[in-house]
Amino acid sequence: VQLQASGGGLVQAGGYLRLSCTASGRTVVSSAMGWFRQAPGKEREFVAASGGHSTYADSVKGRFTISRDNAKTSVYLQMNSLQPDDTAVYYCAATNGARYYYLSSQLQIRDRYDYWGQGTLVTVSS
């Protein structure tokens, strides 16, 4: 599975961006997909996941929305009310199969994902 992320950019605080990630190579219909981010000097952290349910990190709840297209080949992250602390490289990821599809707590763990996109940079200026 190859994942291609796009949509990052520079935005002012309070603004919005929409990230996209499209899978190719193999089907991800039964896979959970998620977004993680990594700020400079920090560990990669969970942002949001889409499996049986959508789940979010506390830091983005109410501001970010994850969704998938009907064919389940793509995952999106609508990011509203962006803040400078949201500045990071954002990575999309997919699991290999449906093992964790309904386990929201597991989908917050980086090691549960088998496939990763190349990352897209989001910079929020104050």
mmCIF file of all heavy atoms in Angstrom, residues 29-33 49-55 66 68 72 95 97-105 107 113:
data_model
loop_
_atom_site.group_PDB
_atom_site.id
_atom_site.type_symbol
_atom_site.label_atom_id
_atom_site.label_comp_id
_atom_site.label_asym_id
_atom_site.label_seq_id
_atom_site.Cartn_x
_atom_site.Cartn_y
_atom_site.Cartn_z
ATOM 1 N N VAL A 29 -9.962 -0.934 2.080
ATOM 2 C CA VAL A 29 -11.374 -0.836 2.442
ATOM 3 C C VAL A 29 -11.629 -1.303 3.863
ATOM 4 O O VAL A 29 -12.402 -0.689 4.600
ATOM 5 C CB VAL A 29 -12.222 -1.656 1.449
ATOM 6 C CG1 VAL A 29 -13.654 -1.764 1.935
ATOM 7 C CG2 VAL A 29 -12.188 -1.028 0.070
ATOM 8 N N SER A 30 -10.978 -2.367 4.271
ATOM 9 C CA SER A 30 -11.215 -2.898 5.616
ATOM 10 C C SER A 30 -10.221 -2.370 6.637
ATOM 11 O O SER A 30 -10.246 -2.771 7.793
ATOM 12 C CB SER A 30 -11.149 -4.428 5.579
ATOM 13 O OG SER A 30 -9.871 -4.866 5.146
ATOM 14 N N SER A 31 -9.352 -1.471 6.214
ATOM 15 C CA SER A 31 -8.332 -0.946 7.110
ATOM 16 C C SER A 31 -8.834 0.298 7.825
ATOM 17 O O SER A 31 -9.611 1.068 7.284
ATOM 18 C CB SER A 31 -7.069 -0.590 6.314
ATOM 19 O OG SER A 31 -6.534 -1.713 5.655
ATOM 20 N N ALA A 32 -8.337 0.480 9.012
ATOM 21 C CA ALA A 32 -8.511 1.770 9.668
ATOM 22 C C ALA A 32 -7.434 2.710 9.124
ATOM 23 O O ALA A 32 -6.352 2.275 8.741
ATOM 24 C CB ALA A 32 -8.366 1.628 11.173
ATOM 25 N N MET A 33 -7.756 3.981 9.094
ATOM 26 C CA MET A 33 -6.791 4.980 8.650
ATOM 27 C C MET A 33 -6.735 6.097 9.670
ATOM 28 O O MET A 33 -7.731 6.393 10.340
ATOM 29 C CB MET A 33 -7.157 5.526 7.269
ATOM 30 C CG MET A 33 -7.137 4.454 6.189
ATOM 31 S SD MET A 33 -7.350 5.110 4.516
ATOM 32 C CE MET A 33 -5.727 5.830 4.218
ATOM 33 N N ALA A 49 -8.252 9.164 14.058
ATOM 34 C CA ALA A 49 -8.340 7.886 13.361
ATOM 35 C C ALA A 49 -9.768 7.625 12.948
ATOM 36 O O ALA A 49 -10.721 8.058 13.625
ATOM 37 C CB ALA A 49 -7.832 6.752 14.240
ATOM 38 N N SER A 50 -9.896 6.901 11.850
ATOM 39 C CA SER A 50 -11.204 6.511 11.329
ATOM 40 C C SER A 50 -11.246 5.003 11.183
ATOM 41 O O SER A 50 -10.554 4.426 10.340
ATOM 42 C CB SER A 50 -11.445 7.183 9.974
ATOM 43 O OG SER A 50 -12.672 6.748 9.420
ATOM 44 N N GLY A 51 -12.031 4.367 12.063
ATOM 45 C CA GLY A 51 -12.254 2.939 11.968
ATOM 46 C C GLY A 51 -13.749 2.723 12.060
ATOM 47 O O GLY A 51 -14.532 3.318 11.330
ATOM 48 N N GLY A 52 -14.166 1.877 13.005
ATOM 49 C CA GLY A 52 -15.591 1.748 13.243
ATOM 50 C C GLY A 52 -16.186 3.043 13.754
ATOM 51 O O GLY A 52 -17.364 3.348 13.532
ATOM 52 N N HIS A 53 -15.380 3.783 14.456
ATOM 53 C CA HIS A 53 -15.744 5.105 14.959
ATOM 54 C C HIS A 53 -14.586 6.048 14.686
ATOM 55 O O HIS A 53 -13.461 5.615 14.463
ATOM 56 C CB HIS A 53 -16.036 5.050 16.455
ATOM 57 C CG HIS A 53 -17.051 4.010 16.835
ATOM 58 N ND1 HIS A 53 -18.396 4.176 16.637
ATOM 59 C CD2 HIS A 53 -16.897 2.776 17.364
ATOM 60 C CE1 HIS A 53 -19.036 3.093 17.058
ATOM 61 N NE2 HIS A 53 -18.147 2.226 17.492
ATOM 62 N N SER A 54 -14.888 7.314 14.750
ATOM 63 C CA SER A 54 -13.809 8.301 14.660
ATOM 64 C C SER A 54 -13.320 8.613 16.066
ATOM 65 O O SER A 54 -14.111 8.693 17.005
ATOM 66 C CB SER A 54 -14.316 9.575 13.989
ATOM 67 O OG SER A 54 -14.713 9.307 12.648
ATOM 68 N N THR A 55 -12.036 8.778 16.203
ATOM 69 C CA THR A 55 -11.468 9.099 17.501
ATOM 70 C C THR A 55 -10.426 10.198 17.326
ATOM 71 O O THR A 55 -9.776 10.275 16.281
ATOM 72 C CB THR A 55 -10.869 7.842 18.171
ATOM 73 O OG1 THR A 55 -10.422 8.163 19.474
ATOM 74 C CG2 THR A 55 -9.704 7.282 17.366
ATOM 75 N N ILE A 66 -12.075 14.018 10.965
ATOM 76 C CA ILE A 66 -11.545 13.023 10.037
ATOM 77 C C ILE A 66 -12.708 12.400 9.273
ATOM 78 O O ILE A 66 -13.801 12.209 9.819
ATOM 79 C CB ILE A 66 -10.727 11.942 10.789
ATOM 80 C CG1 ILE A 66 -9.982 11.039 9.803
ATOM 81 C CG2 ILE A 66 -11.607 11.130 11.719
ATOM 82 C CD1 ILE A 66 -8.971 10.108 10.484
ATOM 83 N N ARG A 68 -13.672 9.736 5.536
ATOM 84 C CA ARG A 68 -13.203 8.903 4.429
ATOM 85 C C ARG A 68 -14.199 8.988 3.294
ATOM 86 O O ARG A 68 -15.384 9.255 3.502
ATOM 87 C CB ARG A 68 -13.028 7.452 4.890
ATOM 88 C CG ARG A 68 -11.910 7.292 5.883
ATOM 89 C CD ARG A 68 -11.693 5.862 6.285
ATOM 90 N NE ARG A 68 -11.135 5.053 5.195
ATOM 91 C CZ ARG A 68 -10.695 3.812 5.372
ATOM 92 N NH1 ARG A 68 -10.772 3.261 6.564
ATOM 93 N NH2 ARG A 68 -10.196 3.121 4.357
ATOM 94 N N LYS A 72 -13.583 4.389 0.328
ATOM 95 C CA LYS A 72 -12.622 4.115 1.407
ATOM 96 C C LYS A 72 -11.208 3.971 0.887
ATOM 97 O O LYS A 72 -10.402 3.218 1.445
ATOM 98 C CB LYS A 72 -13.037 2.888 2.219
ATOM 99 C CG LYS A 72 -14.297 3.133 3.031
ATOM 100 C CD LYS A 72 -14.486 2.086 4.108
ATOM 101 C CE LYS A 72 -15.651 2.457 5.004
ATOM 102 N NZ LYS A 72 -15.867 1.472 6.071
ATOM 103 N N THR A 95 -3.826 0.717 8.667
ATOM 104 C CA THR A 95 -3.548 -0.589 9.235
ATOM 105 C C THR A 95 -3.601 -1.659 8.152
ATOM 106 O O THR A 95 -4.171 -1.444 7.083
ATOM 107 C CB THR A 95 -4.561 -0.945 10.330
ATOM 108 O OG1 THR A 95 -5.873 -1.028 9.733
ATOM 109 C CG2 THR A 95 -4.566 0.084 11.435
ATOM 110 N N GLY A 97 -5.371 -4.547 7.321
ATOM 111 C CA GLY A 97 -6.538 -5.326 7.670
ATOM 112 C C GLY A 97 -7.359 -4.686 8.770
ATOM 113 O O GLY A 97 -7.098 -3.566 9.204
ATOM 114 N N ALA A 98 -8.347 -5.432 9.236
ATOM 115 C CA ALA A 98 -9.369 -4.875 10.119
ATOM 116 C C ALA A 98 -9.190 -5.231 11.586
ATOM 117 O O ALA A 98 -10.117 -5.055 12.381
ATOM 118 C CB ALA A 98 -10.739 -5.358 9.649
ATOM 119 N N ARG A 99 -8.015 -5.711 11.955
ATOM 120 C CA ARG A 99 -7.842 -6.210 13.326
ATOM 121 C C ARG A 99 -8.210 -5.180 14.380
ATOM 122 O O ARG A 99 -8.827 -5.498 15.386
ATOM 123 C CB ARG A 99 -6.389 -6.651 13.530
ATOM 124 C CG ARG A 99 -6.113 -7.196 14.914
ATOM 125 C CD ARG A 99 -4.691 -7.685 15.037
ATOM 126 N NE ARG A 99 -4.412 -8.216 16.361
ATOM 127 C CZ ARG A 99 -3.227 -8.653 16.766
ATOM 128 N NH1 ARG A 99 -2.214 -8.623 15.938
ATOM 129 N NH2 ARG A 99 -3.067 -9.121 17.983
ATOM 130 N N TYR A 100 -7.829 -3.923 14.157
ATOM 131 C CA TYR A 100 -8.076 -2.879 15.167
ATOM 132 C C TYR A 100 -9.203 -1.937 14.746
ATOM 133 O O TYR A 100 -9.386 -0.879 15.346
ATOM 134 C CB TYR A 100 -6.800 -2.076 15.394
ATOM 135 C CG TYR A 100 -5.626 -2.930 15.816
ATOM 136 C CD1 TYR A 100 -4.564 -3.155 14.947
ATOM 137 C CD2 TYR A 100 -5.598 -3.521 17.071
ATOM 138 C CE1 TYR A 100 -3.490 -3.944 15.318
ATOM 139 C CE2 TYR A 100 -4.523 -4.313 17.451
ATOM 140 C CZ TYR A 100 -3.479 -4.518 16.570
ATOM 141 O OH TYR A 100 -2.430 -5.302 16.947
ATOM 142 N N TYR A 101 -9.950 -2.320 13.731
ATOM 143 C CA TYR A 101 -10.914 -1.394 13.126
ATOM 144 C C TYR A 101 -11.894 -0.815 14.146
ATOM 145 O O TYR A 101 -12.237 0.351 14.092
ATOM 146 C CB TYR A 101 -11.662 -2.116 12.011
ATOM 147 C CG TYR A 101 -12.456 -1.205 11.120
ATOM 148 C CD1 TYR A 101 -11.841 -0.521 10.074
ATOM 149 C CD2 TYR A 101 -13.826 -1.044 11.299
ATOM 150 C CE1 TYR A 101 -12.576 0.313 9.244
ATOM 151 C CE2 TYR A 101 -14.555 -0.219 10.474
ATOM 152 C CZ TYR A 101 -13.928 0.454 9.442
ATOM 153 O OH TYR A 101 -14.651 1.286 8.624
ATOM 154 N N TYR A 102 -12.342 -1.648 15.080
ATOM 155 C CA TYR A 102 -13.334 -1.188 16.062
ATOM 156 C C TYR A 102 -12.719 -0.888 17.423
ATOM 157 O O TYR A 102 -13.448 -0.673 18.393
ATOM 158 C CB TYR A 102 -14.440 -2.230 16.193
ATOM 159 C CG TYR A 102 -15.272 -2.353 14.945
ATOM 160 C CD1 TYR A 102 -15.058 -3.388 14.034
ATOM 161 C CD2 TYR A 102 -16.273 -1.428 14.656
ATOM 162 C CE1 TYR A 102 -15.811 -3.488 12.885
ATOM 163 C CE2 TYR A 102 -17.028 -1.531 13.500
ATOM 164 C CZ TYR A 102 -16.791 -2.562 12.622
ATOM 165 O OH TYR A 102 -17.534 -2.667 11.480
ATOM 166 N N LEU A 103 -11.411 -0.867 17.507
ATOM 167 C CA LEU A 103 -10.735 -0.628 18.780
ATOM 168 C C LEU A 103 -10.121 0.769 18.769
ATOM 169 O O LEU A 103 -8.939 0.956 18.456
ATOM 170 C CB LEU A 103 -9.665 -1.699 19.000
ATOM 171 C CG LEU A 103 -10.175 -3.138 19.024
ATOM 172 C CD1 LEU A 103 -9.025 -4.114 19.162
ATOM 173 C CD2 LEU A 103 -11.200 -3.340 20.129
ATOM 174 N N SER A 104 -10.913 1.743 19.143
ATOM 175 C CA SER A 104 -10.482 3.140 19.063
ATOM 176 C C SER A 104 -9.216 3.398 19.871
ATOM 177 O O SER A 104 -8.349 4.158 19.452
ATOM 178 C CB SER A 104 -11.597 4.059 19.543
ATOM 179 O OG SER A 104 -12.703 3.980 18.674
ATOM 180 N N SER A 105 -9.112 2.763 21.028
ATOM 181 C CA SER A 105 -7.936 2.993 21.864
ATOM 182 C C SER A 105 -6.670 2.476 21.177
ATOM 183 O O SER A 105 -5.600 3.081 21.279
ATOM 184 C CB SER A 105 -8.115 2.327 23.227
ATOM 185 O OG SER A 105 -8.270 0.930 23.075
ATOM 186 N N LEU A 107 -6.196 2.323 17.968
ATOM 187 C CA LEU A 107 -5.905 3.149 16.797
ATOM 188 C C LEU A 107 -5.164 4.435 17.158
ATOM 189 O O LEU A 107 -4.744 5.174 16.283
ATOM 190 C CB LEU A 107 -7.190 3.474 16.043
ATOM 191 C CG LEU A 107 -7.881 2.265 15.407
ATOM 192 C CD1 LEU A 107 -9.158 2.702 14.713
ATOM 193 C CD2 LEU A 107 -6.974 1.540 14.436
ATOM 194 N N TYR A 113 -0.176 0.758 13.079
ATOM 195 C CA TYR A 113 -0.285 1.069 11.667
ATOM 196 C C TYR A 113 0.889 0.466 10.891
ATOM 197 O O TYR A 113 2.034 0.488 11.346
ATOM 198 C CB TYR A 113 -0.323 2.588 11.462
ATOM 199 C CG TYR A 113 -1.560 3.200 12.064
ATOM 200 C CD1 TYR A 113 -1.610 3.534 13.409
ATOM 201 C CD2 TYR A 113 -2.687 3.426 11.280
ATOM 202 C CE1 TYR A 113 -2.758 4.074 13.963
ATOM 203 C CE2 TYR A 113 -3.833 3.974 11.824
ATOM 204 C CZ TYR A 113 -3.858 4.293 13.170
ATOM 205 O OH TYR A 113 -4.997 4.827 13.715
#
